[in-house]
Structure formats: structure tokens, C-alpha cells
Amino acid sequence: MRPRLPSPLRELSDPRLTARDLRLWLKRDDLIHPEVPGNKWRKLKYNLVAAREQGQRTLLTFGGAYSNHLRATAAAGHALGLATVGVVRGEELADRPLNPSLAFAVERGMRLVFVDRATYRAKHTAPVLDALLAAHGPAYVLPEGGSNEAAVRGCAELPAELDDETGDEPGDGFDVVCVAVGTGGTLAGLAAGLSPGRRALGFAALRGDFLTAEVADLQRRTYGAPTDNWHVATDFHHGGYARRSPELDTFLADFAHRHDFAPEPIYVGKMLFGLFALAERGTFAPGTRLVAVITG
Ligand SMILES: *Cc1c(COP(=O)(O)O)cnc(C)c1O
């Protein structure tokens, strides 16, 4: 399971940014590994180390029917000879043909356990977790989306890969790093790994304001206190998780045409939409150097 690290970084040339004296680099984490891409590789890294240290032979985790985290966990377990169990939200899915995400997870050896929504909501409580471990364990348990302290530490390694490449002189690098937010583990780590004076900007792919508290809590659990160098933009979700809008579709089609690169729409597309919208509103001062993390 050899990753491509550091992942490639390339500058994007776009007249909408040049007009405002902004520069933008794409951090291509989607190219880290074909089956464990993007932030999923970074989030699994120290969890897999911990699982091995604890002598666990099984990984047990949680996700929705289209979870990239379930796919990545199945692939990582397969590559490392660990059994994997995926607890999936939605009892009714058990009777339906598997969608491509779940079919891939099963192909990589993951055992799927479908649970109803109430059970899924209670997944991190002792009664539910104990019952799952009694039936399918013992196992190393990864939370939904893989976001825990070990995942945050893995994502905190990203900023060190950016420095030499985004500036002409040492120490003359980027100013703001942008990333999509699902459960918040990636943003929590990214922000914690930044050197002083730099900022991280998250774009929520889901509706709601809970993600700011989530990111702060992940930083508190990992480092003892949250950092004050990040922000979550909550108005670019386009209707909620996996929802789209005509504006988003138009932006993405245009982006693919201009740059010969079609971003993943559920997370990355919304982040890029938000970044360009903020740029056009004049949110970033002229001269700002931006990095957009292509998480998948
Ligand atoms: C899982 C995922 C995210 C969300 O990451 P979090 O750490 O849960 O916030 C973002 N982008 C892509 C492509 C993903 O698969």
C-alpha cells in the first residue's frame, strides 16, 4: 500500500483569480493512492499503526451508503491483511442491490452490517457499540468518517508538504489553505499543522452550524485546546450533503472545461465553488496565495 507522498501540487491559472491578484495551487491529495485517496489515507495512517500496536486483526467502522471512508477502510484492510466490518446506516439497504461504493467495499472483503437509523445515531454509545463488538469483534473501532485524534494528527502533516513549492524564497509560501468539511477531522488537523500567520478555511459540504463545534472538539481532544486560525464557511452546501444546485453544476462544468479537470462534486466541487465565490466578493486581499486541497 505505497502512497504517493508528498502528493503533487500544481498552480492553477485562472483569469478570475489573476484579475484580483490572487494565486491558487491545487494540492492533489486525490492522487495519493488509487483505492485509499486523499484525506482518507492521511486519516487512516496513524489509526492503522494503532490497530497494529494493539494487536487488532479487524477494523470496524461506520458510514452512509455512499461513504468514501467505508470504501477506503475496506481497501486499506484488504491491503494490510486486516478484516473489515462496515456498519451502514439504513436497514432497508440490506434488501437492495449494492450501490457501487458498497459493492467495492464488499469486493475488498468488508462485511457489511446494516442497522436502522435510530441504532446508527446511537452508534457511539456503549450498548450499541458493545453489541456490535460482541457480534463482530474484537475490533479496532474507527468513528464515522474516520475522524478521531489519530486522524487529526495524520492530516496535520499536510502543510509541511506545501512550503517549498508555493513561494520563491524559503518562508515565502502560501497564506490560506482551503478544504472541504464533512466530519471535520481533515480541517482540524490541517489548521493545527499550519505555521503562524497562516489560516485554514473550511467549506461545509453539509447543512448546519454544528461543524465549527465539531472541529474545535477534535482539536481539543487531540491537542488539549482548539487553534484560532481556521473558519468554517457554512453557506456553500447547495442544499445539503450530496445535494446539488444548478449554480454548482454550471460552475463545475465550466471549471472542467477551463482546466481539463473535473473535481469530485460532493466535497471538492463545493469547496472550489465557495473559494471562487469568495474571491469574486473580494474576501481575499490582493496578493493572497491560496492552496485548495483536492481531498478526493
Ligand atoms: C471524506 C471526505 C471529505 C471530508 O473529510 P472530513 O475529514 O470528514 O471533514 C472531504 N472530501 C472528500 C473527497 C472526502 O471523501
Side-chain angles (χ1 to χ4, degrees), residues 37 39-40 43 68-69 144-145 147 155 179-187 211 264 267-268 294-296:
N39 58 349
K40 301 304 182 282
K43 290 167 78 168
N68 290 335
H69 165 68
E144 181 178 48
S147 285
C155 293
V179 70
V181 181
T183 57
T186 307
L187 175 61
L211 283 168
E264 180 274 342
Y267 292 102
V268 177
I294 309 303
T295 38

Side-chain angles (χ1 to χ4, degrees), residues 63-225:
Y66 293 94
S67 165
N68 290 335
H69 165 68
L70 283 184
R71 288 179 62 120
T73 304
H78 182 75
L80 298 174
L82 296 167
T84 53
V85 178
V87 180
V88 183
R89 176 179 55 226
E91 214 174 14
E92 72 285 358
L93 297 172
D95 306 322
R96 297 193 195 152
L98 295 177
N99 69 41
S101 291
L102 294 180
F104 173 88
V106 169
E107 249 169 64
R108 292 295 175 273
M110 181 171 265
R111 190 195 317 164
L112 299 181
V113 180
F114 296 92
V115 299
D116 62 71
R117 275 145 215 276
T119 306
Y120 191 86
R121 264 196 302 279
K123 59 190 170 301
H124 298 315
T125 64
V128 172
L129 197 53
D130 289 350
L132 285 168
L133 286 172
H136 307 287
Y140 182 89
V141 177
L142 285 152
E144 181 178 48
S147 285
N148 58 10
E149 295 90 320
V152 171
R153 287 206 310 279
C155 293
E157 294 179 343
L158 191 154
E161 294 178 20
L162 299 172
D163 253 331
D164 293 345
E165 321 254 351
T166 47
D168 305 316
E169 308 282 329
D172 183 29
F174 63 100
D175 305 296
V176 179
V177 58
C178 298
V179 70
V181 181
T183 57
T186 307
L187 175 61
L190 206 54
L194 291 176
S195 43
R198 291 175 172 158
R199 301 192 53 79
L201 182 51
F203 292 87
L206 298 74
R207 185 199 290 272
D209 287 334
F210 62 99
L211 283 168
T212 297
E214 209 64 50
V215 174
D217 186 55
L218 280 161
Q219 289 194 325
R220 198 173 294 116
R221 278 157 50 200
T222 310
Y223 303 108

Side-chain angles (χ1 to χ4, degrees), residues 244-258:
R244 340 211 357 169
S245 67
E247 295 75 28
L248 178 64
D249 288 342
T250 303
F251 171 83
L252 290 177
D254 174 67
F255 192 93
H257 179 70
R258 284 177 194 252

